[in-house]
Amino acid sequence: SSGINAEWPLRPGGGVVLLGGGMLISNSLYTVDGGHRSILFSRLGGLKDTVYKEGLNFKVPWLHKPIIYNIRATPHRTTSLTGSKDLQTVNISLRVLSRPDPNNLTTICRRLGLDFNDRVLPSIVHETLKSVVAQFNASQLITQRQSVSDLVREELIERAKDFHIILEDVAITDLSFSPQYTQAIEAKQVAQQEAQRAAILVERAVQERRQKIVQAEGETKAALLLGEAIADNSGYLKLRRITAAKTIAETMARSQNKTYLTSDSLFLNIRDTLGDDDLYKESKGIAPVQVRVAPEVVPEA
């Protein structure tokens, strides 16, 4: 072992070789992070079709250059000014979650490069929104918003497949119209509310009129029944007197003031044209006794 240790200092450049070997190994390895994929560009043959996954991968220094793609879904927001079927100006915003197809990264790199989203999405989003929105009226865009969103999603997914781009989600985030159309809608809503309020007032007036008619008819019928009851039986009138007196007495009893009740205040002294006995005899068919007073005879002088 002492002989081996003696030979090391005699070899010139040994450290340089070790350093160069370490640098060669370091440059031959590269790491692909999670959610990413890589392809290799060769200075001799161009882009390779092999797609490398996450982890540690090998390359030939100077000959190979790794190109790394993020395959996670990334959001992109696009705003488009278009027109509806009834020629109304519509300002619509769309949010798209997109990612590249991992199996076609070589094609994407060759045709579009790393900024494929900025190259493709704005153009196809504007094209799709204009074609879909032109199929609906302005009112339908509001009432059928979900249908519009579904149709935009279907057409946009099909268009993105031509560029090997996968759309995870497509959603309409904002939908607005021109100020003139917005004011017209507000005026129409106000007019509809006023019309509904007027209809309610008319219906209320009709119901009140019917109520008054029914009430008048009821009072008329009650008066007729009351007249018939008094004509048939005089006791009904006495019963009403007693009921009125009872009501007055109960009301005065709850008062904190002391009040002396008389027949006048209780309405018990109210009499008919005929006396009670005459009313009874008349109801029984007995003629009342009439008392005649003989005239006074004055003697002649």
Side-chain angles (χ1 to χ4, degrees), residues 116-135:
F116 59 93
N117 281 325
D118 297 334
R119 291 174 179 268
V120 174
L121 289 182
S123 60
I124 65 174
V125 167
H126 286 294
E127 177 186 358
T128 303
L129 287 177
K130 291 181 182 297
S131 63
V132 172
V133 172
Q135 303 176 18

Side-chain angles (χ1 to χ4, degrees), residues 72-74 96-103 108 116-117 121 157 160-161 163-169:
R72 297 170 181 167
T74 55
V96 178
L97 291 178
S98 64
R99 63 182 180 88
D101 186 0
N103 299 322
I108 294 175
F116 59 93
N117 281 325
L121 289 182
I157 289 176
K161 287 181 179 179
F163 302 94
H164 305 289
I165 298 176
I166 300 174
L167 300 184
E168 298 289 347
D169 183 57

Side-chain angles (χ1 to χ4, degrees), residues 14-291:
V16 176
V17 174
L18 292 176
L19 182 60
M23 292 181 62
L24 179 63
I25 295 175
S26 176
N27 292 331
S28 299
L29 301 176
Y30 69 97
T31 302
V32 178
D33 297 331
H36 294 71
R37 296 291 187 273
S38 72
I39 57 176
L40 291 179
F41 172 78
S42 175
R43 295 181 183 271
L44 299 179
L47 292 173
K48 302 294 183 182
D49 295 332
T50 305
V51 179
Y52 298 92
K53 299 182 179 180
E54 300 98 335
L56 193 63
N57 295 280
F58 177 79
K59 67 174 182 177
V60 177
W62 184 84
L63 183 64
H64 290 161
K65 176 185 177 182
I67 301 175
I68 298 177
Y69 276 88
N70 182 7
I71 62 171
R72 297 170 181 167
T74 55
H76 299 274
R77 181 184 177 91
T78 304
T79 301
S80 177
L81 187 65
T82 180
S84 62
K85 187 177 181 180
D86 52 354
L87 303 180
Q88 296 295 333
T89 303
V90 182
N91 190 11
I92 184 170
S93 297
L94 199 69
R95 181 188 59 83
V96 178
L97 291 178
S98 64
R99 63 182 180 88
D101 186 0
N103 299 322
N104 293 279
L105 292 180
T106 302
T107 304
I108 294 175
C109 183
R110 184 176 290 114
R111 293 175 56 187
L112 303 173
L114 290 175
D115 55 345
F116 59 93
N117 281 325
D118 297 334
R119 291 174 179 268
V120 174
L121 289 182
S123 60
I124 65 174
V125 167
H126 286 294
E127 177 186 358
T128 303
L129 287 177
K130 291 181 182 297
S131 63
V132 172
V133 172
Q135 303 176 18
F136 297 88
N137 294 329
S139 60
Q140 293 175 340
L141 292 175
I142 299 175
T143 59
Q144 303 179 17
R145 181 168 179 168
Q146 186 61 41
S147 300
V148 176
S149 179
D150 294 339
L151 188 58
V152 170
R153 181 186 298 107
E154 293 175 1
E155 294 192 8
L156 198 56
I157 289 176
E158 292 297 325
R159 290 286 290 118
K161 287 181 179 179
D162 297 337
F163 302 94
H164 305 289
I165 298 176
I166 300 174
L167 300 184
E168 298 289 347
D169 183 57
V170 177
I172 297 176
T173 58
D174 188 25
L175 183 64
S176 59
F177 301 92
S178 62
Q180 295 79 6
Y181 184 76
T182 303
Q183 294 175 359
I185 292 178
E186 293 177 354
K188 181 179 179 181
Q189 292 178 348
V190 171
Q192 291 177 349
Q193 293 175 359
E194 293 294 337
Q196 293 176 356
R197 186 179 295 109
I200 293 174
L201 293 177
V202 171
E203 183 66 22
R204 181 183 300 174
V206 171
Q207 294 297 332
E208 291 177 354
R209 177 175 174 271
R210 292 177 180 175
Q211 181 180 359
K212 291 180 179 179
I213 293 175
V214 172
Q215 183 178 359
E217 292 177 352
E219 292 177 354
T220 303
K221 188 174 181 180
L224 293 175
L225 294 176
L226 180 60
E228 293 176 358
I230 294 175
D232 295 340
N233 187 2
S234 61
Y236 178 78
L237 185 59
K238 293 181 179 181
L239 179 60
R240 294 297 297 269
R241 293 173 184 172
I242 296 173
T243 303
K246 183 180 178 181
T247 303
I248 295 173
E250 291 178 351
T251 303
M252 299 302 295
R254 290 193 295 267
S255 175
Q256 296 181 358
N257 300 326
K258 293 182 179 181
T259 305
Y260 294 96
L261 300 178
T262 63
S263 60
D264 294 336
S265 61
L266 294 176
F267 297 101
L268 293 178
N269 60 345
I270 300 177
R271 300 185 60 84
D272 294 333
T273 305
L274 299 176
D276 294 341
D277 294 338
D278 293 340
L279 290 173
Y280 175 76
K281 291 178 180 181
E282 184 179 351
S283 63
K284 296 299 183 179
I286 303 174
V289 178
Q290 296 181 357
V291 180

